[in-house]
Amino acid sequence: MEWLKISTSTELVRIQTEDIAFISADGNYSDVYLTNGKPHKMTFKLHFFDEKLQLLADKMFVRVGKSLIVNRNYIYVINTVSQELLLSGNRLRVDFKLKASKEALKQLKTLMEKEEWQ
């Protein structure tokens, strides 16, 4: 079990990585969506999270275009035609239907097809 620890001048946030469904960009902020469906707004750009998550031993996160980082474990459907990404799974209390560019989803689909899963 790994933890993402984010410290600011006013708070420390500790999140188990498996509790993160996805992170979406919101200008100079990012919304971290947890498996319980609740978002947590953070005062960091998406690039900050991308760098932090790449340092983790378990490479479960993947960048999807300019505005999303998703937990690979919850990717259920990648639909390039409708430009939708569906996140679902036993740990998720709600399903997430996300929009992404066709090109970003094509790249994600290719990446997921090449991966070997247990």
Side-chain angles (χ1 to χ4, degrees):
M1 169 179 13
E2 288 189 275
W3 292 82
L4 178 64
K5 297 174 194 150
I6 303 162
S7 182
T8 69
S9 61
T10 59
E11 68 180 353
L12 171 67
V13 178
R14 293 177 60 239
I15 308 169
Q16 284 184 346
T17 54
E18 61 191 24
D19 288 339
I20 300 171
F22 69 98
I23 304 170
S24 66
D26 185 14
N28 288 331
Y29 297 88
S30 294
D31 293 314
V32 179
Y33 283 83
L34 304 176
T35 55
N36 63 10
K38 296 181 181 178
H40 186 89
K41 188 168 287 296
M42 304 288 301
T43 58
F44 296 100
K45 291 184 177 187
L46 199 63
H47 178 71
F48 169 84
F49 289 99
D50 199 16
E51 288 179 351
K52 287 282 242 187
L53 294 169
Q54 294 306 316
L55 298 174
L56 299 174
D58 187 355
K59 304 294 183 195
M60 69 174 66
F61 294 93
V62 62
R63 181 88 180 244
V64 181
K66 295 179 181 179
S67 61
L68 280 176
I69 297 173
V70 299
N71 187 326
R72 297 172 194 241
N73 295 330
Y74 303 126
I75 295 174
Y76 184 62
V77 175
I78 301 168
N79 189 320
T80 58
V81 174
S82 64
Q83 295 180 269
E84 292 179 342
L85 177 63
L86 180 64
L87 304 182
S88 186
N90 292 337
R91 288 187 51 84
L92 293 180
R93 292 194 193 155
V94 297
D95 291 343
F96 294 100
K97 188 183 284 189
L98 309 172
K99 289 287 193 183
S101 73
K102 188 176 286 192
E103 188 57 39
L105 291 175
K106 282 181 182 179
Q107 291 174 0
L108 178 62
K109 182 177 177 289
T110 300
L111 175 71
M112 297 296 288
E113 288 170 341
K114 291 179 181 176
E115 286 185 348
E116 293 183 26
W117 288 88
Q118 294 103 15

